[in-house]
Amino acid sequence: MTFDNITVLFTKLIDVLLVWYALYFILRNLRKNVKMVLLFKGILIIVFVKIISDFFDLVTIGYLLDYVLTWGPLALIVIFQPEIRNVLEHLGRSQLLGRHKVLTVDEREKLVYEITGAMEYLKKSRIGALMVIERDNSLGEYIEKSKKIYADISSDLLISIFFPNNPLHDGGVIIQGDKITSAGAVFPTSDNLKISKRLGTRHRAALGISETGDCIALIVSEETGRLSIAMNGELNYNLTLDEVKLILLEELRPKKSMLLEEDEEEEEVLDENSEID
């Protein structure tokens, strides 16, 4: 095999991989957006009707569908401009190198301990709260429009932020790594029609921000004190504190391909625990 053949083969492989990733990205974001799902179904129906009209030689409907297929893409760009903009913004916020900071086992456990400690107090006191943990996708857009804090994570600080009459208690807290980056953040609310009408603004905002990226949104209901987590456009409602801990510990684990040292450190912790037993 010559060098030219290898180059052509490599180029075709890159081409196929890029097309595959584009389709994967579109389909992954499609399932999180109700409007885009309805649009996709509408396009399939139009294409199906066009095939039927050509097969049975239906001149009038075929003529109309030709106009729809010709000018339809331009109309879709105008009508669905906000959704297209959100997809492009999501792509622009994606980071190829992963999290801003990969937490060690101790840092991750401390983070979960402080967050769940605050949620336990807020739950008992019926104080509403919304905390968003950044992962691979940057939340810089929302940080810029909120009140900067840049403080070490602590349950006392979280409780004080959401305490009634605090100027920042109505917004959300953004957490990067093991730091509280900002408070009073305003997030987009979800347009998902399947959301129960009983859920308030905090739950809709948590679901909305989880639809735009891979963050973890934690909610404490002001009315009921129930704990919930929104991830990947899905809401896990009415969780126990132990369930919240387990989900956070699992979801905040670093990717296996990123750090071998993290795996070794966790193995050492497991070995120490087994020795104690």
Side-chain angles (χ1 to χ4, degrees):
M1 182 177 290
T2 64
F3 178 76
D4 291 338
N5 291 335
I6 295 176
T7 303
V8 172
L9 181 62
F10 181 75
T11 303
K12 290 182 178 180
L13 179 61
I14 296 296
D15 188 27
V16 171
L17 289 175
L18 289 175
V19 173
W20 174 85
Y21 179 77
L23 290 175
Y24 166 76
F25 181 82
I26 292 172
L27 292 175
R28 187 184 67 177
N29 286 275
L30 182 65
R31 67 182 180 85
K32 301 177 183 178
N33 194 309
V34 177
K35 291 182 180 179
M36 295 299 287
V37 171
L38 296 175
L39 170 63
F40 184 72
K41 291 180 179 179
I43 293 175
L44 290 180
I45 292 173
I46 292 174
V47 172
F48 178 75
V49 174
K50 175 61 177 173
I51 294 173
I52 296 298
S53 67
D54 290 342
F55 182 79
F56 290 102
D57 196 22
L58 304 176
V59 179
T60 305
I61 189 67
Y63 183 75
L64 293 175
L65 289 176
D66 285 337
Y67 269 101
V68 172
L69 293 175
T70 301
W71 298 102
L74 180 60
L76 292 177
I77 292 175
V78 176
I79 297 172
F80 290 93
Q81 184 268 339
E83 284 73 19
I84 296 173
R85 184 187 63 188
N86 290 336
V87 171
L88 294 177
E89 287 178 352
H90 172 59
L91 181 62
R93 287 195 298 267
S94 300
Q95 296 181 353
L96 298 178
L97 298 179
R99 294 180 176 87
H100 292 282
K101 178 183 180 182
V102 178
L103 301 176
T104 64
V105 175
D106 291 338
E107 290 173 334
R108 189 165 69 246
E109 290 182 349
K110 182 180 185 300
L111 172 66
V112 175
Y113 173 79
E114 298 293 344
I115 290 176
T116 54
M119 293 181 73
E120 183 177 17
Y121 178 89
L122 296 169
K123 172 184 173 68
K124 292 178 180 179
S125 303
R126 297 289 179 89
I127 299 175
L130 172 58
M131 293 170 271
V132 178
I133 304 174
E134 181 185 81
R135 292 201 283 181
D136 290 343
N137 299 125
S138 174
L139 297 174
E141 173 188 354
Y142 306 101
I143 294 173
E144 288 299 320
K145 299 176 182 178
S146 58
K147 186 67 175 179
K148 315 301 186 302
I149 295 180
Y150 299 116
D152 293 333
I153 187 79
S154 74
S155 58
D156 291 338
L157 180 55
L158 289 171
I159 292 170
S160 65
I161 290 173
F162 291 111
F163 205 78
N165 299 324
N166 187 313
L168 300 176
H169 84 282
D170 280 336
V173 162
I174 296 178
I175 299 171
Q176 291 180 310
D178 57 351
K179 306 290 184 182
I180 300 176
T181 302
S182 65
V186 178
F187 303 113
T189 56
S190 176
D191 293 328
N192 194 331
L193 300 177
K194 297 180 180 180
I195 303 176
S196 173
K197 295 181 179 179
R198 294 178 297 175
L199 298 179
T201 305
R202 284 193 180 89
H203 290 84
R204 294 179 180 276
L207 196 57
I209 190 62
S210 73
E211 291 172 346
T212 64
D214 65 340
C215 61
I216 303 174
L218 306 164
I219 314 102
V220 180
S221 173
E222 185 175 356
E223 290 76 16
T224 63
R226 291 176 177 174
L227 309 179
S228 305
I229 295 181
M231 294 184 299
N232 302 318
E234 297 181 359
L235 181 67
N236 301 289
Y237 184 67
N238 194 18
L239 301 173
T240 65
L241 197 63
D242 288 335
E243 288 174 332
V244 172
K245 290 179 181 178
L246 291 175
I247 291 175
L248 287 179
L249 288 172
E250 178 62 27
E251 292 297 328
L252 292 175
R253 287 171 58 88
K255 296 177 181 177
K256 294 181 180 180
S257 59
M258 291 178 61
L259 277 183
L260 294 176
E261 296 178 0
E262 177 71 17
D263 294 335
E264 295 175 357
E265 189 175 352
E266 290 189 356
E267 290 178 1
E268 291 177 0
V269 172
L270 292 175
D271 292 339
E272 290 177 1
N273 293 336
S274 61
E275 290 176 2
I276 294 174
D277 295 337

